[in-house]
Amino acid sequence: MTSPRPDATPVGIVIATRNRCAALAEALRHLVALPERPRILVADNASTDDTRTMLARDFPQVGVLALPFNHGALARNYGARALGTPYVAFSDDDSWWAPGALSRAARLFERHPRLGLIAARTLVGPAADPDPLNDVLAASPLGRAADLPGTQVLGFLACASVVRRSAYLDAGGFHRLLFFGGEETLLAYDMAARGWGVTHCPDILAHHHPAPSPRTGRPVVQRRNELLTAWLRRPVPYALARTRALAAEARHDDHARQALRGTLARLPAALRARRPLPPHVERAARLLEGAAA
C-alpha cells in the first residue's frame, strides 16, 4: 500500500463487501466526494459479481484488497492492517460518512490518547431518520469519563464507527469465530478490557441506507453470536443461564433452534478462546443490561 498523502486526513476508510456491486458503487460515490479526501480501501470478500470490474473501471482511486475467500467481518481486520492510517473509519457497502465527520473524529482522537473507538450518530435511509440505536447509546448508564469525549458505551454499529488503528489491532479486531452479525459487542468488550475508551460521540455523523428487507438469516446469526460472546467473555453461570434460556425457546421457535445448533457447533472453539472480562468491564456490562431490562 502507498503511504498517505501529506494533505489527506489521518482517517482512512475500510469497506468490507461481498456481491453487492450496485450498493457499493453508491456508497463510494459519496465517500470519494468527501472534502477530507480520505484513503479508501475495499476489502472484497471474494465477490463473484462485477464488484472488482466495477471498482477498476469507475473508482481507480480506491484501493482494493482482493481476499481469496469470504472472511466475513474479519475482512475489516485485513483492511485496517493494510491501510496503515492512524485512524480507520468503517463503512459497509450501504453506508457512508457525512462531510466533515472524519476530520472531527481525527481531532477527538488527537485530543484524547485513551480513546479507542468512536460510535457515531447514524441517520437511516433517504429521509435521514435517526437510528433508534442513537438514543440507546446516548442514554448509556456508563456516563462520561474525564479523559474521554462523549458517553461511554459497550456497543456500536460497525458501519458507523471510527477506531484508533493501534487500539483496534491491540484488541485483536473483530473476532474470527463470529464471522458476521452482532460482532460489535465483543470488540467493545475487548477494547475496554485493554483499557481503551469506547464512546458515543453524536457530533460524528454517518449515513446508513440498508436494503428494505433484512438479509436472510441475520436474526439467527445475531442470536448465535450473542450467546457465543457470552461464552467467550462472560462468567460461566451467566453463559449457562443464557444457553438454558435459548434452549427453552428452541422447543417452539425455529430461529432459536437454528441459533442454538450454530452455537453448539462453535462452542468448543469458543471455550478454547475464552478470556473472561476483567471485573470492571463485567460490572459495566451488567449495568448496561440492567438498564436495558
Side-chain angles (χ1 to χ4, degrees), residues 108-109 111-118 142-153 164 195-201:
L108 289 177
F109 282 118
R111 293 171 188 163
H112 303 277
R114 193 168 70 86
L115 180 60
L117 183 147
I118 293 171
L142 302 183
R144 303 177 71 96
D147 63 338
L148 294 172
T151 304
Q152 296 179 96
V153 295
R164 186 185 300 273
W196 295 105
V198 179
T199 70
H200 172 56
C201 299

Side-chain angles (χ1 to χ4, degrees), residues 115-190:
L115 180 60
L117 183 147
I118 293 171
R121 184 163 61 97
T122 310
L123 301 180
V124 180
D129 296 318
D131 191 306
L133 182 61
N134 296 337
D135 289 340
V136 175
L137 296 176
S140 167
L142 302 183
R144 303 177 71 96
D147 63 338
L148 294 172
T151 304
Q152 296 179 96
V153 295
L154 285 177
F156 60 96
L157 187 64
C159 69
S161 63
V162 193
V163 299
R164 186 185 300 273
R165 180 176 177 270
S166 59
Y168 176 77
L169 297 178
D170 177 53
F174 288 101
H175 201 285
R176 180 180 301 275
L177 188 61
L178 303 190
F179 194 71
F180 248 143
E183 68 272 18
E184 295 93 342
T185 297
L186 182 56
L187 176 60
Y189 285 169
D190 287 347

Side-chain angles (χ1 to χ4, degrees):
M1 304 298 292
T2 58
S3 58
R5 301 184 304 269
D7 60 335
T9 175
V11 185
I13 298 174
V14 168
I15 305 174
T17 190
R18 176 174 167 81
N19 290 342
R20 302 250 298 165
C21 179
L24 175 63
E26 175 67 14
L28 285 172
R29 281 191 281 273
H30 290 274
L31 293 172
V32 299
L34 289 175
E36 294 97 328
R37 301 174 63 227
R39 289 183 62 202
I40 303 170
L41 177 65
V42 173
D44 179 46
N45 272 318
S47 290
T48 56
D49 63 0
D50 292 332
T51 290
R52 297 183 189 179
T53 301
M54 178 274 293
L55 288 169
R57 181 188 66 236
D58 299 338
F59 299 98
Q61 72 274 49
V62 171
V64 180
L65 183 61
L67 298 171
F69 57 89
N70 186 4
H71 289 271
L74 222 66
R76 301 186 188 116
N77 299 357
Y78 292 114
R81 291 190 189 102
L83 192 60
T85 52
Y87 317 117
V88 178
F90 293 116
S91 288
D92 283 349
D93 45 30
D94 57 4
S95 71
W96 51 86
W97 293 92
L102 301 185
S103 294
R104 286 191 288 275
R107 289 193 292 271
L108 289 177
F109 282 118
E110 287 158 4
R111 293 171 188 163
H112 303 277
R114 193 168 70 86
L115 180 60
L117 183 147
I118 293 171
R121 184 163 61 97
T122 310
L123 301 180
V124 180
D129 296 318
D131 191 306
L133 182 61
N134 296 337
D135 289 340
V136 175
L137 296 176
S140 167
L142 302 183
R144 303 177 71 96
D147 63 338
L148 294 172
T151 304
Q152 296 179 96
V153 295
L154 285 177
F156 60 96
L157 187 64
C159 69
S161 63
V162 193
V163 299
R164 186 185 300 273
R165 180 176 177 270
S166 59
Y168 176 77
L169 297 178
D170 177 53
F174 288 101
H175 201 285
R176 180 180 301 275
L177 188 61
L178 303 190
F179 194 71
F180 248 143
E183 68 272 18
E184 295 93 342
T185 297
L186 182 56
L187 176 60
Y189 285 169
D190 287 347
M191 294 187 81
R194 302 287 291 182
W196 295 105
V198 179
T199 70
H200 172 56
C201 299
D203 290 343
I204 312 300
L205 187 63
H207 293 272
H208 188 202
H209 284 232
S213 56
R215 297 187 186 184
T216 304
R218 180 58 63 93
V220 170
V221 170
Q222 288 180 322
R223 297 190 70 180
R224 180 199 75 193
N225 286 349
E226 288 172 2
L227 188 51
L228 286 171
T229 298
W231 279 107
L232 284 161
R233 297 292 181 264
R234 306 298 298 276
V236 170
Y238 175 92
L240 281 170
R242 294 292 301 270
T243 304
R244 284 194 294 266
L246 185 62
E249 194 174 345
R251 296 191 187 103
H252 55 80
D253 183 89
D254 186 57
H255 283 175
R257 269 193 301 277
Q258 293 179 56
L260 182 62
R261 284 198 297 267
T263 301
L264 294 177
R266 292 162 177 80
L267 188 56
L271 294 175
R272 288 193 297 271
R274 179 172 167 77
R275 192 171 67 244
L277 296 174
H280 71 283
V281 182
E282 175 60 28
R283 286 193 297 270
R286 296 275 184 167
L287 183 61
L288 284 165
E289 288 166 353

